[in-house]
Amino acid sequence: MMEKFRSLAFLIILLFYVQSVKSEFPLAPALYVFGDSLFDSGNNNVLPTFAKADFKPYGINFNGGATGRFTNGKTVADFIAEFLGLPFSPPYLSLRGSVKLTGLNYASGSCGILPETGNIIGKCLHLSEQVDLFQRTVEQELPKQYDDPEELSSYLSRSIFLISTGSNDYVNNYLQQNFYDKSKHYSPQSYAKLLIHALSQQFQRLYRLGARKVIMFEIGPIGCVPSLTKQLKHNGLCAEEYNNLAVIFNNLLRDMLNNLTSTLKGSAFILGHAHWLGYDAVTNPSTYGLMDPIGPCCVTWANGTSACIPELVPCRNADKHYFWDGYHLTETVYRFIATKCFNGTDVCIPKNIKELVED
């Protein structure tokens, strides 16, 4: 009996040791995050915009409460930070003073690739502005931490860059014909090409600033989000014509990332091939332990098609829901995506993040 007790005690001590080593020696020196409300961790809190999530019930399952994350708990970026052994990347606009940087989050809800996307809701940081802020980080903040240019270059080349953007360029731009005229001047194919060209320019900027390991997620099945499905006539669970818009973009995205990897020396531009996973979770929810794949968990404005109404109690079983509000997913779905991207074979391709950090 005493021998079993000693063995158990040894295992507990070993577990604590492994956890401490994991946090002391992360798999990458930093995680830099760009994008929209899928990744925003609080930047919109300080911007003059209606796109905010700094109130309950947002963050109801997050240790820090309502931080500005547009979900009930952690985002994909948060899970990947944990898997890397890093702290959550703090929102850039809340950064105060000189601190050791293990990453920053520049993502901004309602924004996208094009500068005008989302501006009818208020001020947000479009992708070019986010890269501007990263450039400021590289030129002004990081030299305080790395005074040797070679050391700084090594730090950046080993860091992970995580990006999710583009869906708002459809939901908050192309499909908003009362406010924008893009759909009148661009076919779905030509509009996708416009977005991909602008996105490529920003990726090349990141490369020139030192980024080498970049993961860009596809646009998810936007035709399945409640903000659209509850307002449009369609057959089945989703409005497939809008999902097809995302597929056109995603196909061009794959080719663009492959081209950048082959032409930019030492780079790895990874495709976050998650559209299929998001669609499969909607159409086959029981496979993922989900019960409701179409309705939001929180009580929202405009009959389930918008943001959560402040302070109202959400559903009890958020982990069984696909959608948190009229636009965004629950922590449960984000966990699926992040886990498969980190160590799976069918989401982040041609390498998962675990393989990427080993290169």
Side-chain angles (χ1 to χ4, degrees):
M1 185 71 178
M2 184 58 69
E3 189 62 32
K4 289 183 178 179
F5 177 78
R6 289 196 185 103
S7 298
L8 179 59
F10 174 76
L11 288 174
I12 293 174
I13 293 172
L14 180 61
L15 177 62
F16 277 112
Y17 173 75
V18 169
Q19 291 297 321
S20 64
V21 169
K22 179 181 177 182
S23 60
E24 186 177 352
F25 300 102
L27 299 179
L31 175 67
Y32 287 95
V33 181
F34 303 79
D36 51 33
S37 56
L38 298 180
F39 283 177
D40 191 347
S41 61
N43 283 307
N44 273 27
N45 292 355
V46 297
L47 293 174
T49 175
F50 289 108
K52 292 182 183 290
D54 56 349
F55 54 87
K56 293 180 181 179
Y58 290 105
I60 195 169
N61 300 116
F62 189 76
N63 191 33
T67 59
R69 289 167 169 82
F70 290 77
T71 183
N72 61 306
K74 299 171 187 173
T75 67
V76 169
D78 294 327
F79 281 114
I80 289 177
E82 287 186 335
F83 298 158
L84 290 170
L86 290 168
F88 298 150
S89 301
Y92 176 87
L93 295 184
S94 297
L95 191 65
R96 297 292 182 271
S98 181
V99 296
K100 183 177 181 181
L101 292 181
T102 56
L104 285 170
N105 187 314
Y106 305 89
S108 180
S110 80
C111 254
I113 300 168
L114 301 181
E116 68 270 20
T117 291
N119 59 14
I120 58 174
I121 302 173
K123 171 60 183 174
C124 58
L125 303 173
H126 57 75
L127 186 60
S128 178
E129 290 177 313
Q130 293 178 32
V131 178
D132 288 344
L133 295 178
F134 176 67
Q135 181 171 348
R136 183 185 302 177
T137 301
V138 172
E139 294 176 350
Q140 299 181 18
E141 297 299 325
L142 286 174
K144 301 174 185 176
Q145 188 171 322
Y146 299 99
D147 53 8
D148 182 351
E150 290 188 7
E151 189 179 2
L152 174 56
S153 177
S154 174
Y155 161 87
L156 290 170
S157 68
R158 292 180 292 114
S159 295
I160 299 297
F161 292 77
L162 202 65
I163 303 161
S164 177
T165 189
S167 61
N168 285 328
D169 292 288
Y170 288 95
V171 177
N172 287 338
N173 189 330
Y174 194 71
L175 300 177
Q176 296 288 342
Q177 297 180 12
N178 292 333
F179 300 97
Y180 298 97
D181 62 356
K182 284 292 189 295
S183 62
K184 299 177 183 177
H185 300 290
Y186 293 91
S187 68
Q189 190 73 24
S190 62
Y191 186 64
K193 288 181 178 179
L194 174 72
L195 295 178
I196 291 296
H197 176 73
L199 183 62
S200 177
Q201 298 301 308
Q202 298 310 315
F203 283 170
Q204 291 176 62
R205 285 185 65 197
L206 286 175
Y207 178 84
R208 291 193 294 270
L209 290 168
R212 294 296 181 269
K213 299 180 178 183
V214 180
I215 301 103
M216 168 66 190
F217 282 93
E218 293 176 331
I219 295 177
I222 55 176
C224 301
V225 298
S227 64
L228 293 178
T229 60
K230 288 180 175 291
Q231 299 184 67
L232 302 170
K233 292 182 179 180
H234 58 90
N235 296 320
L237 293 175
C238 304
E240 298 300 346
E241 61 180 302
Y242 295 133
N243 284 338
N244 290 337
L245 294 175
V247 170
I248 293 171
F249 174 91
N250 292 338
N251 288 339
L252 294 176
L253 174 65
R254 178 195 60 215
D255 295 340
M256 183 264 282
L257 295 177
N258 287 338
N259 181 62
L260 289 179
T261 299
S262 64
T263 56
L264 299 179
K265 183 179 179 181
S267 70
F269 285 86
I270 305 299
L271 176 67
H273 181 47
H275 179 99
W276 73 267
L277 177 61
Y279 189 77
D280 192 49
V282 169
T283 54
N284 300 291
S286 60
T287 304
Y288 301 85
L290 302 174
M291 294 175 59
D292 187 346
I294 57 175
C297 176
C298 75
V299 183
T300 82
W301 300 105
N303 191 32
T305 64
S306 190
C308 299
I309 298 176
E311 304 300 328
L312 292 189
V313 178
C315 68
R316 293 182 179 180
N317 54 346
D319 60 329
K320 300 296 182 182
H321 278 249
Y322 184 98
F323 289 103
W324 173 246
D325 62 12
Y327 305 96
H328 307 98
L329 316 184
T330 59
E331 178 186 77
T332 296
V333 182
Y334 288 144
R335 182 187 293 109
F336 287 135
I337 296 170
T339 301
K340 283 184 169 289
C341 178
F342 190 80
N343 54 29
T345 59
D346 51 4
V347 169
C348 284
I349 54 178
K351 297 178 182 178
N352 61 37
I353 296 179
K354 190 174 181 181
E355 294 168 330
L356 187 63
V357 297
E358 293 172 353
D359 286 350

